[in-house]
Amino acid sequence: MPEDAEALAGFGYELGLLKRIRRSGWWHAGVRDPESVAEHTMRAAQLAALIAAEEGADPARAAFLALWHDSQETRTGDLPHTAAAYLTKPDPRQITADQTDHLPEQSREMVRGAVDEYESRETLEARCAKDADKLEMLLQAVEYRDIGVQRTEGWIDSARKDLHTETSRRIAGAAVDLSPLFWRDR
């Protein structure tokens, strides 16, 4: 089925945009070259697995959900929270439905199911993935703070208040007081 292969290849190219789309909120803090959505997603997926392992959830499933959590940004870009007052938040499920409309059924349902589970937050894995998204932002804020970006506290505070798992809250508490290079001395 050449159409299936073309649809999958096309979606692969679309997902490649995530490597070039920058996390735009950091420009407000003065970061000239913020991380890409793909860079954020990778660490969020890794953190989701760690959080899930500690919380007794399925690490692979939590990482998988985090892997798809921002895939819609190929169509919208990364909208900073300041845009919320001027725009209606796009429905990630609708964007995903549009993105995957031409994919083969198994792939289409797999991606749509992951996004729906993540957005619903009904499973522990989805809550771990959401916490990982926030925790990744917190770690990035601490890293930017450590290299001299002055206005990161709002991101740190926002992330901390939105964490739901005990593991995420413990990691956040430790992270804000550690040097991002702490790991080198261990």
Side-chain angles (χ1 to χ4, degrees), residues 5-137:
E6 288 176 0
L8 290 164
F11 191 45
Y13 283 129
E14 180 176 345
L15 292 171
L17 290 174
L18 298 173
K19 296 190 299 183
R20 297 188 297 277
I21 295 172
R22 298 289 162 197
R23 302 261 295 164
S24 62
W26 294 117
W27 286 318
H28 297 196
V31 177
R32 288 186 183 272
D33 187 26
E35 82 277 12
S36 70
V37 173
E39 290 166 324
H40 160 74
T41 297
M42 184 201 74
R43 184 161 60 176
Q46 293 167 326
L47 289 168
L50 296 171
I51 295 164
E54 296 301 316
E55 291 289 321
D58 179 353
R61 184 70 184 168
F64 184 74
L65 299 178
L67 188 64
W68 293 101
H69 86 279
D70 278 341
S71 58
Q72 307 79 23
E73 292 184 11
T74 63
R75 303 278 173 110
T76 64
D78 178 54
L79 300 172
H81 83 277
T82 54
Y86 308 101
L87 303 171
T88 302
K89 184 180 185 301
D91 180 3
R93 292 175 185 94
Q94 182 58 54
I95 297 169
T96 300
D98 292 344
Q99 286 176 309
T100 60
D101 190 45
H102 297 292
L103 294 181
E105 182 179 359
Q106 296 89 332
S107 294
R108 180 176 59 244
E109 295 309 314
M110 179 269 306
V111 175
R112 289 178 181 181
V115 170
D116 183 58
E117 184 177 344
Y118 177 83
E119 292 298 327
S120 296
R121 311 276 196 287
E122 293 176 3
T123 64
L124 181 54
E125 289 79 8
R127 291 187 296 276
C128 290
K130 181 60 177 176
D131 274 9
D133 176 40
K134 295 298 183 178
L135 187 59
E136 198 289 325
M137 180 180 72

Side-chain angles (χ1 to χ4, degrees), residues 130-131 134 137 157-165:
K130 181 60 177 176
D131 274 9
K134 295 298 183 178
M137 180 180 72
D157 295 342
S158 169
R160 288 186 84 173
K161 78 174 183 57
D162 288 339
L163 297 174
H164 298 286
T165 63

Side-chain angles (χ1 to χ4, degrees), residues 170-184:
R170 284 192 346 259
I171 295 169
V176 296
D177 295 324
L178 285 178
S179 163
L181 295 179
F182 171 78
W183 60 273
R184 291 174 48 128

